[in-house]
């Protein structure tokens, strides 16, 4: 399938990542359907996008006309069949649980046209763990965006051993057409490039906190003021969602059986309390 044949895009999962992936595609004129099983989540996604885009209009980054046209290109639905029945590429952005992703991909495979590419936004679960749940393994790949998608430019595209060269080239070209910068990984590896680097930083930040060497604010300040990072590791975990870090570590533990891969007590406590970061109003920091 050539890239100029891509007209319709379906994004599955209306959380922060999914909704913003849908918007960056709609801004470039693609017909985008954002699907979620929860009508409430879809309503929140639309409201959140309206707020984000209005602020960008006020800052002069987009015109009112650009934003209006983007929303005209978007549909919101709770029906998976409606979302994927005519789509050319599906981008999955649901919870980081392998069994849930496999079940979704199997269902999408049944409902979507034969030519449709199925991409997962996951940076932890490589597509070879999902591909055999479908009958189109050559059309399965990772297409990993970064949070916040409206701002972050990089997309990691990963070619699994099952993924065809055509699928990769179409995905790379689509990434460029939505004004993102792709990097191509020719081999699968857990965490890909950026998150492998970031994971080491986060693990060390948690170690320093657990051993009472410094507090959350001080560790974040060391990264922003000494290393010139735009945001500290704890503030970043709050932004992305502490549950995301928790499930990623649980996935690593389940895959390896290595006890050292388990989420730290800090993550477990936060998840049990429902303190997941910005989306719940409290994480390592408290938000109004």
């Amino acid at each position: 399938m050539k890239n100029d044949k891509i007209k319709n895009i379906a994004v599955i999962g209306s959380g922060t990542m999914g909704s913003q992936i849908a918007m960056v595609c709609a801004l470039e004129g693609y017909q985008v359907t954002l699907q979620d099983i929860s009508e409430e989540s879809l309503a929140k996604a639309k409201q959140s996008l309206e707020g984000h885009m209005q602020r960008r209009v006020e800052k002069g980054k987009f015109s009112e006309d650009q934003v209006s046209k983007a929303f005209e290109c978007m549909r919101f639905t709770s029906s998976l069949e409606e979302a994927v029945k005519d789509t050319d590429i599906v981008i999955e952005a649901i919870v980081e649980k392998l069994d849930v992703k496999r079940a979704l991909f199997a269902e999408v495979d049944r409902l979507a046209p034969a030519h449709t590419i199925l991409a997962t936004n996951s940076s932890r679960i490589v597509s070879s763990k999902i591909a055999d749940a479908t009958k189109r393994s050559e059309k399965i790949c990772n297409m990993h965006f970064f949070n916040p998608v409206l701002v972050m430019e990089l997309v990691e595209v990963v070619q699994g051993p099952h993924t065809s060269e055509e699928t990769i080239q179409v995905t790379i070209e689509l990434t460029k057409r939505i004004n993102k910068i792709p990097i191509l990984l020719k081999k699968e590896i857990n965490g890909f490039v950026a998150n492998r680097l970031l994971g080491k930083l986060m693990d060390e930040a948690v170690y320093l906190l657990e051993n009472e060497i410094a507090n959350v604010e001080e560790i974040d300040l060391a990264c922003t003021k000494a290393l010139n990072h735009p945001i500290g590791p704890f503030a970043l975990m709050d932004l992305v969602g502490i549950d995301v870090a928790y499930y990623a570590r649980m996935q690593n533990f389940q895959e390896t059986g290595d006890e050292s891969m388990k989420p730290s007590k800090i993550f477990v406590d936060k998840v049990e309390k429902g303190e997941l970061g910005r989306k719940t109003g409290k994480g390592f920091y408290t938000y109004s």
Side-chain angles (χ1 to χ4, degrees):
M1 180 176 65
K2 293 183 179 180
N3 199 276
D4 57 10
K5 297 295 184 183
I6 289 185
K7 307 295 183 185
N8 300 308
I9 297 173
V11 180
I12 311 301
S14 65
T16 301
M17 294 296 291
S19 61
Q20 293 194 21
I21 291 170
M23 176 53 73
V24 298
C25 295
L27 281 165
E28 297 309 311
Y30 289 100
Q31 297 300 308
V32 183
T33 303
L34 181 61
Q35 187 273 343
D36 198 292
I37 58 174
S38 167
E39 293 283 359
E40 181 182 0
S41 294
L42 288 168
K44 287 181 178 179
K46 186 176 182 181
Q47 183 181 35
S48 176
L49 285 175
E50 289 170 345
H52 279 304
M53 299 314 295
Q54 184 56 43
R55 287 191 289 275
R56 280 160 174 74
V57 169
E58 292 168 358
K59 292 178 179 179
K61 295 183 177 180
F62 295 103
S63 68
E64 290 277 7
D65 186 56
Q66 283 177 299
V67 172
S68 176
K69 286 181 177 178
F71 275 108
E72 288 175 7
C73 289
M74 293 183 69
R75 292 187 305 148
F76 299 79
T77 181
S78 59
S79 168
L80 185 63
E81 181 175 8
E82 180 184 340
V84 306
K85 66 180 180 180
D86 296 316
T87 196
D88 302 306
I89 184 167
V90 174
I91 303 172
E92 168 271 313
I94 65 171
V95 65
E96 287 287 87
K97 293 185 176 180
L98 179 57
D99 58 339
V100 180
K101 289 185 188 292
R102 285 179 59 85
L104 173 67
F105 270 71
E107 186 67 3
V108 172
D109 181 51
R110 184 178 69 82
L111 296 170
H115 72 272
T116 304
I117 290 171
L118 310 183
T120 174
N121 180 56
S122 178
S123 68
R124 298 286 179 181
I125 300 175
V126 293
S127 67
S128 60
K129 295 183 179 296
I130 300 171
D132 65 350
T134 76
K135 296 177 181 178
R136 62 178 86 194
S137 60
E138 75 284 356
K139 296 184 181 296
I140 312 296
C141 68
N142 287 77
M143 187 181 187
H144 176 234
F145 293 77
F146 290 84
N147 190 25
V149 178
L150 288 168
V151 176
M152 303 297 282
E153 295 181 284
L154 193 73
V155 173
E156 294 173 318
V157 178
V158 187
Q159 184 171 14
H162 53 281
T163 313
S164 72
E165 191 65 31
E166 179 185 45
T167 293
I168 287 300
Q169 292 309 313
V170 170
T171 306
I172 288 282
E173 183 59 29
L174 174 62
T175 302
K176 294 176 181 177
R177 291 193 180 195
I178 59 174
N179 291 316
K180 298 299 180 185
I181 300 171
I183 61 171
L184 173 61
L185 282 69
K186 297 290 285 185
K187 293 181 180 180
E188 292 184 333
I189 187 170
N190 181 272
F192 306 157
V193 175
N195 279 345
R196 286 181 72 86
L197 298 171
L198 181 61
K200 297 298 184 183
L201 176 65
M202 288 184 170
D203 287 346
E204 189 62 26
V206 169
Y207 172 85
L208 294 170
L209 180 63
E210 285 182 328
N211 286 275
E212 300 180 348
I213 293 166
N215 63 32
V216 166
E217 292 84 357
E218 291 166 334
I219 296 166
D220 276 0
L221 280 171
C223 290
T224 58
K225 301 303 182 183
L227 304 181
N228 205 29
H229 292 187
I231 188 172
F234 291 108
L236 181 58
M237 283 187 269
D238 275 1
L239 177 64
V240 174
I242 294 170
D243 54 329
V244 175
Y246 171 83
Y247 286 126
R249 283 160 175 76
M250 281 301 296
Q251 183 68 33
N252 287 344
F253 167 65
Q254 289 166 0
E255 289 179 4
T256 64
D258 184 348
E259 290 285 331
S260 69
M261 295 288 187
K262 275 187 174 181
S264 71
K265 188 176 185 302
I266 287 176
F267 289 122
V268 174
D269 289 346
K270 290 291 185 187
V271 170
E272 288 180 349
K273 291 176 182 177
E275 297 175 357
L276 306 181
R278 286 179 178 268
K279 60 187 173 185
T280 60
K282 186 175 183 181
F284 291 107
Y285 295 91
T286 299
Y287 304 89
S288 59

